[in-house]
Amino acid sequence: MISGKKTPTIQDVARHASVSAATVSRVLSSPERVSETTRERVTAAVRETGYTINQAARSLRLKAARTILMAAPNIGNPFYSTIVDAVLSEAAARGYSVLVASSIGDDPNLWLRDYLLSTRADGLLLFDGSLDTKRLHGLDEGGVSLPLVAAYDEIPDPEINSVITDNRLAAKRAIRHLVELGHRRIGHVTFPSRNGTTNERLIGYHEAMTEAGLETHPEWMALGNYNMPSGAAAAEQLLALKQRPTAVFCANDEMAIGFVHQMRKAGVECPRDISVIGFDDITVAEYFDPPLTTMRQPREQIGRMATRSLIDIIEGIQPEDEPVHLVLMSDLIVRKSTRAI
Amino acid sequence: MISGKKTPTIQDVARHASVSAATVSRVLSSPERVSETTRERVTAAVRETGYTINQAARSLRLKAARTILMAAPNIGNPFYSTIVDAVLSEAAARGYSVLVASSIGDDPNLWLRDYLLSTRADGLLLFDGSLDTKRLHGLDEGGVSLPLVAAYDEIPDPEINSVITDNRLAAKRAIRHLVELGHRRIGHVTFPSRNGTTNERLIGYHEAMTEAGLETHPEWMALGNYNMPSGAAAAEQLLALKQRPTAVFCANDEMAIGFVHQMRKAGVECPRDISVIGFDDITVAEYFDPPLTTMRQPREQIGRMATRSLIDIIEGIQPEDEPVHLVLMSDLIVRKSTRAI
DNA sequence: AAGCGCGGTGTAATCGATTACACGCAGTTG
DNA sequence: CAACTGCGTGTAATCGATTACACCGCGCTT
């Protein structure tokens, strides 16, 4: 590469190859439209100069950034790790970069809009059901329709593309598993929100209980925060009951781990005294003691499919007026944290 | 906001406020240089039109993207979750966006260079010591010096800014802890690489053993992959020995968890039969059974400091020719996975 | 031989924001 | 009253890549 103070532009390459900038551009984007000899000269010049396309200029001209924005409320949660990986690799495969943002903190609706209107990102991968997507999607009736895919977290808006899992059904299967093991007093640790996903799991819990002819008691419910400490707190709450549940369904594995941890601290064994079933199947679930029975979420697939359909929409492969709604299946993974009563 | 087909430009705002685009730009970037009446008119016009700055145009003009690139070999590892969180929030506070990329797969040196030269990112936060930073940093002697901060993973290049922890010392303290408990046969699960961080821990292990007058045996060493399955495999290997170590130092918590899990499977108890100490203090370490003794890494701080100094460099607050080398301290967190022999 | 078609290339406008420079219009100052 | 200062604003060039359009030259038809 040529030594020089500044990064070479397409003009520099053109000069090197004794052609016009237009030709260089064509060699780069549609090589078949350029004669072979010229093409070779240009390719050589690109190599010699060490030319790299200036994305800002390209984005400005094309009004597209080849970048997607991934927003989640708590990227800090290990649950997202696999998903991020999948999103990155799928995006890279399609030639897209990935901006990441946390959707908590100062009015996400505001800066998300900003990102998308400012030619920084061409589309949004949203892992947060709590945002006001009406405002995001319609962008205040501006008529600008925004490539948006909601993933993992359910959003009750049929207009919005989504990639989710069968949360309600999965919850029902979790409960049925416990029922089949003979449990009748089954508790639930959930998350307080109108958040679609958790809510679906809650509904599934109730439906399955009703279908099994079992009662649900408000005191068997605990509110958690999706993390381990809150699972532990939930355990404290449930263990204090005069009549404890014999099994507990936690809305995610982290809370389940916290729950079991706290149980053990109190001298209550899992699954001997209380069976616990989680949700997600994070990596550590298998290595935990006892290995956690859980509903596995196909996280890698969620990330991959969501990214894929977002890019399909951006590139017009998928028409925007026919929203895609993908529902992936969860699997019951039976390990050692549940047992027959 | 005004209904319209396209996103408003600075010209549109100018027209609304009956001023020139230059004035609008000034109101946005240096309000004090504009008279108060004009400023108010423009501000109102911005609000009315719903104007959002076009970043591509801005980047093109300013040759800066207000974006940093975070690259790690395996963002999929939960270890990074906290770090990502910290990076995001610190970057947001300084008005920067964050692009994330995985530094494995097709020649990272190549596309990293691409990112940085293409006005997509202004600097690089590198969590991967295995990359050829000579090439990255000097960018082939192009004279273009690139804002780069190496974080977490050590890079043996005094020219490169870094934010790391005291790996060697921390490893020594881990070993000393075991020695104080009376252990003499101490194994180590490490990662095979010239990767600075792991290597420092390995050196620390050897130094501490020597200082304590203890022998190290090659068969007490196992190679892992930083994840739980490889920790389990390491356990299999070490448990098969005629004379097992009585304590094992694992280079990260994930491997430690895998190790303990496999021990239990084989009917070997931790810490009764073998004490295990980890490294990092990931969230689950505390909730695992037994709660893991480990060397806590100030991950949040690593992310925050690294981001801060990167942006300082980008903005010229920190001169490039005086590399910053920050070494943060790890803490020994004694829990239940280690005990006196 | 004039005209047509076509592949290959160049010319120049364009995307939207920034900023050096120029200009106009007070309000001083000598 | 001319010259000067300085604030506030506008004009126009600029960043680098893309692409519609024009053009050139060659081979082919009629």
Side-chain angles (χ1 to χ4, degrees), chain B:
Chain B
M1 109 144 63
I2 300 292
S3 248
K5 290 280 141 268
K6 52 230 283 71
T7 54
T9 74
I10 201 171
Q11 317 288 345
D12 299 327
V13 178
R15 216 168 303 124
H16 262 256
S18 312
V19 293
S20 74
T23 302
V24 177
S25 176
R26 279 188 280 255
V27 170
L28 264 34
S29 52
S30 41
E32 74 283 359
R33 307 188 36 175
V34 177
S35 76
E36 200 181 321
T37 48
T38 320
R39 200 188 316 149
E40 277 164 10
R41 271 222 315 290
V42 171
T43 318
V46 167
R47 214 174 317 115
E48 280 170 37
T49 52
Y51 171 70
T52 314
I53 202 167
N54 182 316
Q55 281 296 338
R58 182 166 210 267
S59 299
L60 173 59
R61 184 65 233 250
L62 298 183
K63 295 172 177 305
R66 287 192 84 74
T67 297
I68 61 177
L69 176 61
M70 166 173 183
N74 51 341
I75 305 265
N77 190 315
F79 170 78
Y80 286 110
S81 303
T82 317
I83 294 185
V84 173
D85 251 3
V87 170
L88 288 182
S89 86
E90 187 69 26
R94 301 280 293 262
Y96 280 69
S97 306
V98 180
L99 276 166
V100 174
S102 166
S103 61
I104 46 173
D106 21 46
D107 195 356
N109 277 307
L110 208 62
W111 57 256
L112 278 179
R113 179 178 167 285
D114 196 80
Y115 264 98
L116 294 156
L117 258 42
S118 68
T119 328
R120 250 180 301 195
D122 306 323
L124 173 60
L125 215 51
L126 187 60
F127 288 82
D128 185 345
S130 70
L131 291 189
D132 181 353
T133 49
K134 290 272 187 244
R135 258 173 63 193
L136 265 181
H137 194 58
L139 279 176
D140 293 325
E141 311 139 27
V144 194
S145 121
L146 150 74
L148 165 61
V149 171
Y152 179 69
D153 211 353
E154 302 191 14
I155 286 187
D157 183 342
E159 299 270 301
I160 294 180
N161 307 275
S162 61
V163 177
I164 56 176
T165 56
D166 55 340
N167 286 293
R168 187 184 302 198
L169 182 61
K172 291 176 76 166
R173 284 163 65 210
I175 300 302
R176 259 185 244 136
H177 167 68
L178 296 173
V179 171
E180 281 163 14
L181 292 174
H183 294 279
R184 321 212 73 231
R185 297 202 306 278
I186 301 175
H188 182 34
V189 183
T190 181
F191 180 72
S193 82
R194 60 260 147 259
N195 163 318
T197 291
T198 321
N199 200 43
E200 285 295 306
R201 293 178 194 173
L202 177 61
I203 295 174
Y205 163 74
H206 277 119
E207 285 189 6
M209 290 296 276
T210 310
E211 285 171 17
L214 300 177
E215 290 176 36
T216 59
H217 279 294
E219 66 263 30
W220 293 347
M221 307 286 296
L223 294 180
N225 214 1
Y226 267 119
N227 55 27
M228 297 182 197
S230 71
E236 265 187 299
Q237 183 186 326
L238 263 53
L239 291 176
L241 295 176
K242 276 180 294 288
Q243 196 179 36
R244 297 173 181 163
T246 64
V248 173
F249 165 43
C250 294
N252 78 343
D253 285 346
E254 304 225 300
M255 294 195 292
I257 286 174
F259 197 98
V260 173
H261 175 80
Q262 187 64 33
M263 278 172 61
R264 187 159 14 226
K265 258 190 170 169
V268 181
E269 277 305 310
C270 173
R272 192 193 63 197
D273 304 316
I274 300 182
S275 286
V276 173
I277 186 167
F279 211 104
D280 285 351
D281 194 27
I282 60 179
T283 316
V284 76
E286 180 182 351
Y287 290 86
F288 193 65
D289 180 56
L292 229 51
T293 296
T294 188
M295 299 303 303
R296 174 180 294 165
Q297 300 279 88
R299 290 179 291 163
E300 205 266 343
Q301 225 190 343
I302 294 177
R304 194 166 293 284
M305 300 299 252
T307 309
R308 192 171 299 173
S309 57
L310 179 59
I311 297 180
D312 282 350
I313 294 168
I314 292 173
E315 299 190 339
I317 297 172
Q318 185 61 234
E320 300 199 46
D321 46 359
E322 298 175 18
V324 184
H325 295 282
L326 232 57
V327 179
L328 306 175
M329 290 299 142
S330 312
D331 283 325
L332 171 63
I333 308 293
V334 179
R335 296 206 182 92
K336 309 280 190 190
S337 65
T338 52
R339 69 156 202 181
I341 203 165

Side-chain angles (χ1 to χ4, degrees), chain A residues 15-35:
Chain A
R15 215 168 303 123
H16 262 256
S18 313
V19 294
S20 74
T23 302
V24 177
S25 177
R26 278 188 281 255
V27 170
L28 263 34
S29 52
S30 41
E32 74 283 359
R33 306 187 37 174
V34 176
S35 77

Side-chain angles (χ1 to χ4, degrees), chain A residues 9-10 22 25 51 58 61:
Chain A
T9 73
I10 201 171
S25 177
Y51 170 70
R58 183 166 211 267
R61 185 64 235 249

